[in-house]
Amino acid sequence: QVQLVESGGGLVQTGGSLRLSCAAPGRTFTFYRMGWFRQAPGKEREFVATIYRSGGTTYYTDSVKGRFTVVRDNAKNTVYLQMNSLTPMDTAVYYCAATLSGGTPYYSPTSYNYWGQGTQVTVSS
């Protein structure tokens, strides 16, 4: 069983920044692809960003391009989501996810086998 542990959520004002972390303690960080998703109250879980194993390939949903950056540190078994210029529209529970296989749509939650517990991000106006 793979455990993903998230941290870094919290309350921030509009225009502020947060950095989320997702760690896989005690496990070799060989996931093919890591993803970040978010789910606001009453809405479906949506794709935010993904990063491939090498760290050289990333994709973002349009609404966060230019504001969010996903990076990974394989030596620390950790992936990060740096979020800048936050707005109330970014308020949601953020989840990290991982998959060992490729060839599946990076934007679909069903493509990921393992999930973190979620961390709340709240942006006040």
Side-chain angles (χ1 to χ4, degrees):
Q1 183 68 25
V2 175
Q3 182 182 18
L4 301 178
V5 180
E6 300 154 359
S7 61
L11 173 64
V12 65
Q13 291 184 334
T14 295
S17 298
L18 285 173
R19 189 178 77 159
L20 306 183
S21 301
C22 175
R27 179 176 176 85
T28 302
F29 212 51
T30 56
F31 298 117
Y32 179 82
R33 187 173 64 222
M34 301 291 295
W36 286 97
F37 290 77
R38 64 187 180 187
Q39 188 166 18
K43 295 188 177 181
E44 294 186 352
R45 191 167 299 189
E46 67 169 353
F47 168 76
V48 176
T50 190
I51 185 166
Y52 283 64
R53 179 184 293 161
S54 67
T57 301
T58 58
Y59 296 102
Y60 299 89
T61 192
D62 286 346
S63 64
V64 309
K65 285 180 181 177
R67 300 188 299 123
F68 291 12
T69 304
V70 58
V71 297
R72 64 190 293 165
D73 185 338
N74 289 339
K76 295 183 178 180
N77 292 350
T78 302
V79 63
Y80 303 94
L81 183 68
Q82 177 65 44
M83 306 185 295
N84 298 328
S85 302
L86 288 162
T87 77
M89 294 295 293
D90 296 313
T91 295
V93 176
Y94 284 70
Y95 298 89
C96 71
T99 180
L100 292 170
S101 62
T104 54
Y106 61 81
Y107 49 81
S108 173
T110 60
S111 298
Y112 296 82
N113 310 105
Y114 308 103
W115 291 83
Q117 79 283 1
T119 186
Q120 177 71 46
V121 171
T122 303
V123 185
S124 63
S125 58

